[in-house]
Amino acid sequence: MVTMTLAVPIELKHKMEEFSEINWSEVARQAFKQKIKDLEFLEKFKEESTMNEEDALNLGKELNKKLEKKYN
């Protein structure tokens, strides 16, 4: 295992200190693992997709319209 140093805003550091029982290093490790998993999924999806950028934008617009109707 290697050591990594992270910079966080002072306000966040103070809030983290309120929960000293939490292993913040483990929280960060899990967040890194999940983010990598998400990015790998997106890369694989992108490689296998036949959708072009215009198709993706149109799909996003259509989805936004449907979500707006559903939640308004």
Side-chain angles (χ1 to χ4, degrees):
M1 196 173 296
V2 297
T3 300
M4 178 187 287
T5 301
L6 297 174
V8 297
I10 191 70
E11 301 85 19
L12 179 58
K13 174 68 172 149
H14 290 314
K15 289 183 180 203
M16 291 169 67
E17 288 170 347
E18 291 177 22
F19 301 96
S20 60
E21 70 279 7
I22 301 296
N23 181 342
W24 292 109
S25 292
E26 184 60 27
V27 171
R29 273 191 293 278
Q30 292 302 318
F32 295 149
K33 284 180 186 178
Q34 185 61 53
K35 186 65 172 182
I36 289 169
K37 185 177 177 182
D38 294 346
L39 291 169
E40 288 173 339
F41 170 81
L42 289 174
E43 283 294 316
K44 186 172 180 351
F45 178 80
K46 191 168 71 173
E47 287 172 5
E48 296 174 359
S49 177
T50 58
M51 189 179 279
N52 63 30
E53 186 175 354
E54 185 179 348
D55 294 335
L57 289 172
N58 289 334
L59 180 61
K61 288 176 187 175
E62 188 177 323
L63 179 60
N64 284 338
K65 286 178 188 175
K66 289 181 179 182
L67 288 172
E68 186 178 359
K69 283 181 185 178
K70 180 176 181 177
Y71 291 105
N72 284 335

